[in-house]
Amino acid sequence: NTYFDGYAKSVSALNDTGPFDVLPRHKNFLSLLNPCDLIIRSVDEQKMRISRGVLLVRNNEVTVFLDV
Protein backbone atom coordinates (compact mmCIF):
# COMPACT_ATOMS: atom_id res chain seq x y z
CA ASN A 1 0.00 0.00 0.00
CA THR A 2 1.08 3.57 -0.65
CA TYR A 3 0.17 6.04 2.11
CA PHE A 4 1.77 9.15 0.60
CA ASP A 5 3.14 9.94 -2.85
CA GLY A 6 4.12 13.51 -3.57
CA TYR A 7 6.38 16.43 -2.69
CA ALA A 8 7.31 16.79 0.97
CA LYS A 9 9.13 19.65 2.69
CA SER A 10 10.49 17.20 5.29
CA VAL A 11 10.11 13.73 6.76
CA SER A 12 10.76 13.16 10.48
CA ALA A 13 11.29 9.85 12.26
CA LEU A 14 13.25 8.14 15.03
CA ASN A 15 16.17 5.71 14.88
CA ASP A 16 18.61 4.32 17.47
CA THR A 17 20.54 7.61 17.61
CA GLY A 18 17.41 9.71 18.16
CA PRO A 19 14.98 11.86 16.18
CA PHE A 20 16.02 13.04 12.71
CA ASP A 21 14.67 14.98 9.75
CA VAL A 22 15.12 14.43 6.03
CA LEU A 23 15.07 17.67 4.06
CA PRO A 24 15.24 18.33 0.29
CA ARG A 25 18.60 17.43 -1.29
CA HIS A 26 19.50 15.19 1.68
CA LYS A 27 22.47 12.88 1.11
CA ASN A 28 21.70 9.26 0.28
CA PHE A 29 20.79 7.60 3.57
CA LEU A 30 19.50 4.29 4.91
CA SER A 31 18.16 3.78 8.44
CA LEU A 32 16.22 1.30 10.53
CA LEU A 33 13.29 3.08 12.19
CA ASN A 34 12.18 2.67 15.79
CA PRO A 35 8.54 2.87 16.89
CA CYS A 36 7.54 6.52 16.42
CA ASP A 37 5.22 8.97 14.72
CA LEU A 38 6.49 9.24 11.14
CA ILE A 39 5.76 12.85 10.18
CA ILE A 40 5.47 14.01 6.57
CA ARG A 41 5.26 17.76 6.07
CA SER A 42 3.92 18.90 2.71
CA VAL A 43 1.03 21.32 2.24
CA ASP A 44 -0.28 19.93 5.51
CA GLU A 45 1.22 17.56 8.07
CA GLN A 46 0.54 13.83 8.16
CA LYS A 47 1.43 11.66 11.15
CA MET A 48 1.55 7.88 10.99
CA ARG A 49 2.29 5.77 14.03
CA ILE A 50 4.74 3.04 12.98
CA SER A 51 6.06 0.08 14.90
CA ARG A 52 9.18 -0.41 12.76
CA GLY A 53 10.49 0.21 9.28
CA VAL A 54 13.34 1.04 6.97
CA LEU A 55 13.83 4.53 5.53
CA LEU A 56 15.77 4.98 2.30
CA VAL A 57 16.81 8.34 0.82
CA ARG A 58 18.16 8.09 -2.72
CA ASN A 59 18.29 10.67 -5.51
CA ASN A 60 16.23 13.19 -3.50
CA GLU A 61 13.41 10.67 -2.91
CA VAL A 62 12.37 9.11 0.39
CA THR A 63 10.96 5.59 0.53
CA VAL A 64 9.78 4.02 3.80
CA PHE A 65 9.18 0.30 4.06
CA LEU A 66 6.91 -0.40 7.03
CA ASP A 67 6.81 -3.46 9.29
CA VAL A 68 9.86 -5.14 7.74
Side-chain angles (χ1 to χ4, degrees):
N1 292 341
T2 300
Y3 295 99
F4 179 86
D5 185 6
Y7 173 79
K9 296 175 186 174
S10 69
V11 177
S12 300
L14 179 71
N15 63 18
D16 280 345
T17 61
F20 67 92
D21 298 311
V22 177
L23 302 172
R25 295 182 296 283
H26 195 285
K27 295 259 187 196
N28 290 347
F29 179 70
L30 177 68
S31 180
L32 296 175
L33 299 178
N34 293 347
C36 68
D37 285 330
L38 179 71
I39 302 171
I40 302 167
R41 291 177 190 87
S42 58
V43 174
D44 55 358
E45 182 176 287
Q46 288 187 352
K47 285 186 183 181
M48 286 180 262
R49 185 72 188 164
I50 64 167
S51 58
R52 61 185 174 171
V54 176
L55 181 136
L56 171 66
V57 179
R58 185 170 55 186
N59 299 325
N60 208 36
E61 289 189 5
V62 178
T63 304
V64 180
F65 302 96
L66 298 175
D67 297 323
V68 294

